[in-house]
Amino acid sequence: DAKTTQPPSMDCAEGRAANLPCNHSTISGNEYVYWYRQIHSQGPQYIIHGLKNNETNEMASLIITEDRKSSTLILPHATLRDTAVYYCIVCSSYDKVIFGPGTSLSVIP
Amino acid sequence: GAVVSQHPSWVICKSGTSVKIECRSLDFQATTMFWYRQFPKQSLMLMATSNEGSKATYEQGVEKDKFLINHASLTLSTLTVTSAHPEDSSFYICSARGTGFTDTQYFGPGTRLTVL
């Protein structure tokens, strides 16, 4: 079973920041928080991952709370191409990725 | 870097035939590969995990004799759907994980299987 809870859907205005929350209250010490997204009829795309520090790359930022029980993925300037299902996943680096239902993000013009 | 390819991208076959799907890690060595299946409007469901040179480990409820997985090299895994039936029609997605910066799972683009 997925170890995370995400809202089923969210809307975001084009050009604004999209903040996608994720709860993972049972995360253990060696588990990372991974984010993937899946655009319709494509394979999932890796976005970012982190252990306990905040992370940023060219796609997004990941903010992890100090107790590590929740995190937020931030797309700083959402575009229409960011419309996708976003999956927050908790697992160790040697474990298999188990997908939950994710958050369907719609970026609106 | 960390590119995973699948072939074919789509396939249509008759009921009772077998279909082979290839998954390749193009720019890294994949010590572990995974196979997922996704039905319309549903999330991905893990079918099996395979390590190079070892037998695949199947998830509960997945028939190992129906879904044959071979991971003969560090860059290639194959999934063969044997005696396919219409209910096997689905989107099959592989992923690969290496070591170092590639110890994250990277996913292929998927293969759409339609069984008539």
Side-chain angles (χ1 to χ4, degrees):
Chain A
D1 289 343
K3 305 176 186 177
T4 62
T5 304
Q6 299 177 252
S9 64
M10 291 181 63
D11 291 339
C12 176
E14 187 179 17
R16 303 296 295 269
N19 296 278
L20 291 90
C22 179
N23 287 320
H24 32 80
S25 58
T26 61
I27 191 170
S28 59
N30 66 340
E31 289 181 321
Y32 290 76
V33 180
Y34 288 85
W35 283 85
Y36 290 85
R37 72 180 182 184
Q38 186 179 27
I39 296 169
H40 183 62
S41 295
Q42 298 182 24
Q45 177 189 22
Y46 165 78
I47 301 173
I48 198 168
H49 75 284
L51 185 62
K52 53 184 178 181
N53 297 322
N54 297 337
E55 302 288 343
T56 296
N57 62 21
E58 65 278 5
M59 289 183 67
S61 295
L62 174 60
I63 308 299
I64 303 173
T65 58
E66 192 168 343
D67 62 8
R68 303 211 317 130
K69 292 185 177 182
S70 65
S71 61
T72 301
L73 178 74
I74 301 172
L75 307 178
H77 305 286
T79 71
L80 299 179
R81 288 175 295 181
D82 293 321
T83 292
V85 178
Y86 287 76
Y87 298 98
C88 170
I89 293 156
V90 162
C91 67
S92 64
S93 60
Y94 52 84
D95 206 351
K96 51 200 174 186
V97 169
I98 302 296
F99 288 85
T103 295
S104 178
L105 175 68
S106 296
V107 180
I108 301 168
Chain B
V3 178
V4 178
S5 70
Q6 282 184 241
H7 178 80
S9 55
W10 59 270
V11 57
I12 301 172
C13 70
K14 293 182 179 180
S15 186
T17 61
S18 295
V19 174
K20 180 184 285 188
I21 302 170
E22 292 186 350
C23 175
R24 294 181 185 273
S25 55
L26 298 185
D27 51 4
F28 68 101
Q29 293 187 324
T31 51
T32 308
M33 286 185 165
F34 306 84
W35 287 94
Y36 294 79
R37 181 168 53 180
Q38 185 176 34
F39 293 108
K41 299 189 185 302
Q42 294 186 21
S43 189
L44 285 78
M45 183 184 75
L46 180 65
M47 299 175 67
T49 302
S50 72
N51 293 298
E52 185 263 339
S54 303
K55 287 185 178 181
T57 301
Y58 290 81
E59 296 297 305
Q60 191 172 10
V62 177
E63 301 174 57
K64 60 181 67 176
D65 294 331
K66 181 167 186 61
F67 299 99
L68 303 179
I69 292 171
N70 184 280
H71 189 170
S73 78
L74 286 173
T75 59
L76 174 64
S77 176
T78 60
L79 167 68
T80 301
V81 183
T82 62
S83 186
H85 291 286
E87 58 265 30
D88 298 322
S89 298
S90 188
F91 192 48
Y92 291 86
I93 306 166
C94 74
S95 71
R97 184 176 67 205
T99 57
F101 87 96
T102 58
D103 67 358
T104 296
Q105 274 187 238
Y106 293 94
F107 288 79
T111 296
R112 176 76 56 191
L113 170 64
T114 302
V115 184
L116 301 177

